[in-house]
Amino acid sequence: MDSVIETIRACREKGTPVVGCFPLYPPLELLHAMGLRPVVLWELKGIVKSTPLSDRHLQPFACSVARHLVEIVLSDYGAILDGLLMYNACDTLRNLPEIIERGLGAQGRELPIIKLHIPAIPAERTEASEYLARRMDALVAECEAAFGVHFSSERFLESQRRYGEMRALLRRLEALVGEGRLLYRAFSRINRFGYLVGVEEQVKRLRTAVDDCAAVSINASATIPIVVSGILPPPPAMIDLIERCGLRVVANDVATQRRSYGYQPPEDGDPGGYYADFYRRHHPCTTLLPTADRRVDTILSLVEESGARGLVFIGEKFCEYESLEFPHIEGLLRERGVSSLRLEMAIDDYENCAAFATRIEAFAELLKGGR
Amino acid sequence: MDGRAAGGGRRKTESGRRLSRMIADGYLDLHRRANEGAFVVWIAIVVPAEIFAGFENVAYAVPESHAALSAGKGVGTVQCQKAEERGYSADLCSYARIDIGTAFDGGKDSPTFGLPRPHLLVSNNNNCSLLVKWFDVYRREWGVPHFIVDVPFCYGPQSDRDTDYIAAQYRDLIREIERLSGQRFDIERVREAVRHSCDAMREWKRFLRAAAHRPSGITVFDSFVQMAPILTARGTPALAEHFRLLADETEGAIADGRYPVPDERYRLLWDNIAPWHQLSGMSSRLAALGVNLIAASYTYCIGSLEGSVQLFPYDGADPLRYLARIQNFSVCPQGLALRFEAMRAAIGTMGVDGVVFASNRSCKVYSIMQMDLLDRVTRECGVPAVMIDVDHADARAYSEEGAFTRIEALLESIDMKRAG
Ligand code: SF4
Ligand code: SF4
């Protein structure tokens, strides 16, 4: 991980301002097109091991994503950032900008924090797209003022192509995971680096990974295919546990993974138009409120198309969005004869996965029994 | 007001009796209208109910208010458990769990026999987005349409652009109700309803001003209990009339020298939703310590705009725009800086000695930022403060001894400060 931080630092030293983006789906292409380096601040457990700084600001019932985000910005690592961008992704995140501002202020530091509102209603509703378009225009102006950069439609189109390629490669790589040519653990690792290393570097890595595993053949017949769902992927130790129990992750509905790369909008030089489509047709996510009606069908087809026999929910403790949808989806899966297992990860569980072993083993036995 | 006479004896005041009647009649009326064919809407508390007055026969129910009532009547935990048995996490907001538990058990154990089934759900992400997901549960289970009102979060005063955006959504909502119910809409009736709401808020503020008197003419528990009809009877003349009576009665009690905590030695402020399951136990234990919780951010911001505790009056212009502008007239939808400004004003005008921050794991929007608020209050207002853990509606997540140990430590800090 330190090498990744070094890459970001080096990029910054070359004059590219680094913008830390709050999860989940910030407008990365737009920032990139303006010559900024967007870094999405999630899956940070490997960088900040504990959260002493964030503990001074957040009660223990804030989720681990929020706690790690605050920690990294307030820690020495925060020095790699030139600014922050947040949007209204959830109730917890909306409280963080001012908390971070104070935390930085107490250290005598300051960062521009851009707050973006993405309409949480269907794009067809009066004013929704117009509101978003105006907000995107304002975002361009705010970035120009804060970081001394400029927008051009050509560069924006170019950035869309790069991100489009990255997302297509990730979809391809996920398909290779499904075929059994790459382990999900390795896939998760590669995907995670993409949020930090930048799109160009990530595209290079992905091309290599796709070429490498296209040639590999893995005998997956002895394993039972499953899908995982959640905000973050299961931590490596848990993936190992899952695999040791004879299960194999063949597809995912994880926010940092398929929910992020599942859809690429058609090219559009206008940020308002591009992002209206981006959020409207985005792979459904519990956090994108207007996608709620599509989510259930999407998960069901994912299970069906991947041939999965079960689904493991990696619940982020205190993430209400996810918790409010689990029971319904569990019920529908049950009706279709698909077993599911819900595991809830608290901040410390990322290192203590052994506690989940018995439940995963029992789930694997259940699936094996149903063969 | 569930008033206490000088000397500590409890007695039911006229406004207290009237409030009980209003609430009971309100729920009876809701069920009756639903049975007789009214178009029933379930709303989040910050959805402006005045809009429904514009239709011939739209009845609205407020699940959050019903959940608070259930918790106050001691059935919050049992309803939460029902939701948990259906797979809803115990970490979810207890209002949501109470409501889901009640709704999926056909209103059993509810003090109001539950709520009549809705024809439309209207949520609003301003208080919280959790509420949108909570209403989605019913949308899926019952196939009821769900209309979301999207409100940009306010880190500062609402911009004109945001006011227009919200007002446009209200127009969409009106069209949607016209389409679904076949009823006609009359904007003049909304204007009238907004006037009534504004009159009610004026009287509400007059009632709250009694907290500035020494000893205070009210306790926070009075304002918690009395706020109920703000959620369920908005836009009606009865609401303004009720608060006029309440304010008159409170001022009369002060003039007569009757106070709820006559030997008031500590004047405290509460930050968070009411601990509905503890109203009676907590108020008497505090009174015995000479403590009066005189006000709460939960109630003093009602009727005010961002960062203020003053009334934001209606000027008679476009009522939909006014309703859009007052989207932030309660505290949850306000950022840290605005919440602090309102708190500083309340501390200053009411002579507050200390602040109790009720950290509530159920309500992230309210609670996450309290550590910073506490820090600002102690540093910038020079007022001691303490944080206790209380879930607003799930009694299982509250330890009375733990809470009172901290409150007593706060009283010691106040004593030390007074001793110089
Ligand atoms: S995990 Fe859930 S609660 Fe946490 S930041 Fe993400 S969406 Fe918000
Ligand atoms: S989370 Fe808070 S604001 Fe949202 S419904 Fe629950 S109590 Fe209300």
Side-chain angles (χ1 to χ4, degrees):
Chain A
M1 269 300 162
D2 283 349
S3 66
V4 177
I5 296 292
E6 276 319 309
T7 318
I8 301 173
R9 216 187 303 272
C11 154
R12 189 168 178 255
E13 276 158 15
K14 278 188 212 141
T16 304
V18 177
V19 180
C21 299
F22 285 23
L24 291 105
Y25 313 115
L28 301 175
E29 302 87 331
L30 183 60
L31 300 182
H32 178 265
M34 285 195 283
L36 301 167
R37 161 69 82 88
V39 174
V40 190
L41 301 173
W42 56 1
E43 292 206 59
L44 299 168
K45 182 74 187 171
I47 301 176
V48 282
K49 308 277 181 220
S50 57
T51 55
L53 299 168
S54 122
D55 292 349
R56 290 186 209 154
H57 298 270
L58 304 180
Q59 290 101 320
F61 48 77
C63 72
S64 80
V65 174
R67 305 177 78 77
H68 284 117
L69 188 163
V70 171
E71 187 68 25
I72 201 155
V73 178
L74 296 186
S75 72
D76 292 342
Y77 289 114
I80 59 171
L81 301 173
D82 295 284
L84 290 167
L85 181 136
M86 69 83 63
Y87 80 94
N88 50 311
C90 77
D91 292 337
T92 297
L93 291 175
R94 84 181 191 184
N95 279 345
L96 298 191
E98 289 175 296
I99 291 173
I100 288 176
E101 224 156 32
R102 276 202 89 231
L104 289 172
Q107 300 173 6
R109 291 162 58 196
E110 209 182 330
L111 277 179
I113 305 183
I114 297 175
K115 303 175 193 107
L116 178 67
H117 183 82
I118 309 284
I121 50 177
E124 300 71 39
R125 285 258 300 276
T126 318
E127 294 286 324
S129 301
E130 291 80 353
Y131 186 92
L132 179 67
R134 282 196 301 270
R135 194 59 198 89
M136 284 297 164
D137 289 346
L139 173 62
V140 167
E142 285 168 56
C143 287
E144 287 177 342
F147 308 113
V149 293
H150 293 289
F151 173 79
S152 91
S153 284
E154 293 69 38
R155 284 207 307 272
F156 185 42
L157 288 168
E158 179 52 34
S159 296
Q160 290 168 31
R161 278 171 217 133
R162 283 181 202 268
Y163 276 89
E165 183 180 4
M166 181 182 84
R167 290 180 185 128
L169 284 163
L170 283 164
R171 289 194 295 274
R172 174 78 192 113
L173 205 57
E174 189 193 330
L176 292 167
V177 171
E179 289 168 20
R181 294 174 196 276
L182 178 68
L183 289 173
Y184 177 67
R185 181 186 170 142
F187 169 79
S188 293
R189 189 166 179 276
I190 297 169
N191 179 69
R192 178 178 175 217
F193 277 117
Y195 291 108
L196 304 167
V197 297
V199 65
E200 292 83 0
E201 173 66 19
Q202 178 69 342
V203 164
K204 266 192 248 159
R205 285 170 183 242
L206 287 168
R207 281 189 194 136
T208 312
V210 166
D211 289 347
D212 287 353
C213 36
V216 173
S217 114
I218 294 179
N219 179 2
S221 58
T223 54
I224 296 175
I226 59 161
V227 169
V228 288
S229 174
I231 293 289
L232 301 183
M238 184 178 279
I239 301 177
D240 289 348
L241 255 174
I242 288 173
E243 287 172 354
R244 271 207 303 277
C245 291
L247 306 177
R248 190 166 57 85
V249 179
V250 291
N252 77 80
D253 165 59
V254 171
T256 60
Q257 301 182 346
R258 185 182 271 241
R259 293 191 213 170
S260 289
Y261 57 69
Y263 176 69
Q264 174 62 32
E267 289 184 11
D268 188 335
D270 167 45
Y274 179 82
Y275 284 107
D277 187 87
F278 178 85
Y279 291 112
R280 175 196 283 177
R281 291 189 226 278
H282 201 277
H283 188 92
C285 176
T286 48
T287 69
L288 293 170
L289 305 179
T291 67
D293 282 351
R294 286 194 285 124
R295 180 154 192 264
V296 172
D297 287 343
T298 306
I299 291 196
L300 294 176
S301 346
L302 186 62
V303 170
E304 203 174 298
E305 283 158 20
S306 63
R309 304 256 306 281
L311 188 141
V312 177
F313 286 118
I314 310 296
E316 187 60 47
K317 191 159 172 68
F318 304 119
C319 181
E320 289 154 332
Y321 280 152
E322 293 279 289
S323 307
L324 273 163
E325 287 203 353
F326 284 155
H328 181 74
I329 294 173
E330 269 169 347
L332 287 178
L333 290 170
R334 207 178 309 122
E335 278 170 23
R336 284 157 181 77
V338 180
S339 303
S340 63
L341 170 69
R342 193 195 310 186
L343 304 172
E344 197 168 64
M345 307 288 294
I347 192 160
D348 297 324
D349 293 334
Y350 285 86
E351 271 160 18
N352 307 317
C353 292
F356 296 99
T358 318
R359 294 186 59 208
I360 295 172
E361 281 160 13
F363 184 62
E365 285 312 312
L366 176 83
L367 294 183
K368 283 175 196 160
R371 251 181 212 205
Chain B
M1 184 165 71
D2 190 13
R4 268 132 293 183
R10 271 172 164 276
R11 54 180 188 80
K12 194 92 167 177
T13 56
E14 178 52 29
S15 60
R17 276 190 292 273
R18 195 189 161 111
L19 175 74
S20 306
R21 272 199 312 274
M22 266 180 98
I23 293 174
D25 291 352
Y27 280 103
L28 284 173
D29 193 49
L30 175 64
H31 282 291
R32 180 189 55 75
R33 289 182 63 193
N35 282 335
E36 291 172 0
F39 185 82
V40 179
V41 184
W42 282 16
I43 61 168
I45 55 171
V46 290
V47 170
E50 291 85 348
I51 287 178
F52 308 124
F55 292 93
E56 292 138 27
N57 194 15
V58 172
Y60 70 93
V62 190
E64 290 152 274
S65 196
H66 171 266
L69 185 69
S70 300
K73 297 284 183 196
V75 294
T77 302
V78 71
Q79 304 290 31
C80 282
Q81 281 165 336
K82 289 180 194 172
E84 289 157 24
E85 280 157 19
R86 294 182 75 103
Y88 292 93
S89 163
D91 291 326
L92 284 169
C93 167
S94 43
Y95 277 175
R97 280 179 286 140
I98 290 175
D99 193 51
I100 291 170
T102 308
F104 291 161
D105 196 27
K108 200 162 151 267
D109 299 317
S110 153
T112 71
F113 309 104
L115 301 171
R117 275 276 182 105
H119 299 103
L120 175 68
L121 302 152
V122 186
S123 68
N124 180 316
N125 61 354
N126 201 20
N127 247 26
C128 70
S129 299
L130 167 139
L131 215 137
V132 178
K133 307 300 288 183
W134 159 11
F135 278 21
D136 266 345
V137 170
Y138 305 129
R139 155 140 184 72
R140 289 175 171 151
E141 191 76 17
W142 297 332
V144 177
H146 179 187
F147 186 99
I148 305 170
V149 179
D150 175 50
V151 178
F153 187 62
C154 72
Y155 298 99
Q158 190 182 83
S159 67
D160 281 350
R161 181 191 60 193
D162 288 355
T163 311
D164 290 340
Y165 173 55
I166 300 162
Q169 296 180 65
Y170 293 162
R171 285 189 280 276
D172 277 354
L173 173 62
I174 290 164
R175 278 192 288 274
E176 183 69 352
I177 297 177
E178 282 178 329
R179 189 181 70 77
L180 292 168
S181 70
Q183 296 181 28
R184 280 163 44 107
F185 176 77
D186 178 357
I187 189 78
E188 287 314 313
R189 291 167 62 167
V190 177
R191 199 185 304 278
E192 186 70 11
V194 169
R195 281 207 185 93
H196 292 316
S197 288
C198 192
D199 289 347
M201 288 301 100
R202 190 170 292 108
E203 300 300 333
W204 173 252
K205 294 286 185 191
R206 184 159 69 89
F207 160 67
L208 290 185
R209 274 202 294 277
H213 192 275
R214 279 175 188 272
S216 168
I218 57 172
T219 73
V220 81
F221 303 100
D222 298 319
S223 62
F224 285 154
V225 171
Q226 289 288 350
M227 71 179 278
I230 297 178
L231 312 179
T232 55
R234 271 174 76 175
T236 63
L239 185 67
E241 207 180 303
H242 175 68
F243 285 149
R244 192 168 302 119
L245 171 73
L246 175 66
D248 287 349
E249 199 177 71
T250 307
E251 288 174 356
I254 292 175
D256 295 347
R258 286 181 284 118
Y259 307 107
V261 183
D263 62 340
E264 174 185 280
R265 279 171 292 150
Y266 307 96
R267 297 162 62 84
L268 305 186
L269 189 79
W270 177 269
D271 183 65
N272 215 308
I273 304 175
W276 297 115
H277 45 90
Q278 290 302 316
L279 296 186
S280 139
M282 189 181 270
S283 66
S284 37
R285 188 160 170 183
L286 286 172
L289 293 168
V291 174
N292 190 353
L293 269 172
I294 59 171
S297 51
Y298 192 47
T299 51
Y300 64 61
C301 284
I302 298 177
S304 307
L305 286 190
E306 308 93 358
S308 160
V309 292
Q310 304 302 324
L311 176 75
F312 179 69
Y314 175 49
D315 61 3
D318 178 1
L320 295 184
R321 247 187 143 264
Y322 174 79
L323 291 173
R325 184 62 192 91
I326 61 165
Q327 256 301 309
N328 304 323
F329 88 149
S330 63
V331 73
C332 277
Q334 301 190 11
L336 173 59
L338 294 173
R339 268 173 65 176
F340 174 69
E341 282 316 317
M343 191 170 277
R344 174 154 56 192
I347 289 171
T349 53
M350 295 183 213
V352 167
D353 299 317
V355 182
V356 178
F357 286 91
S359 176
N360 176 353
R361 57 189 277 146
S362 255
C363 186
K364 314 276 184 296
V365 283
Y366 215 131
S367 306
I368 293 178
M369 79 162 72
Q370 281 180 313
M371 292 175 80
D372 279 83
L373 262 181
L374 186 149
D375 189 51
R376 285 197 73 173
V377 162
T378 46
R379 281 174 201 267
E380 297 174 45
C381 303
V383 168
V386 76
M387 192 169 287
I388 62 173
D389 291 314
V390 191
D391 187 292
H392 58 292
D394 185 349
R396 293 169 298 175
Y398 173 66
S399 150
E400 182 174 338
E401 287 321 307
F404 271 84
T405 304
R406 291 197 177 187
I407 291 172
E408 282 164 17
L410 173 67
L411 305 184
E412 279 171 26
S413 309
I414 295 170
D415 287 341
M416 274 163 57
K417 188 175 163 222
R418 283 175 177 163

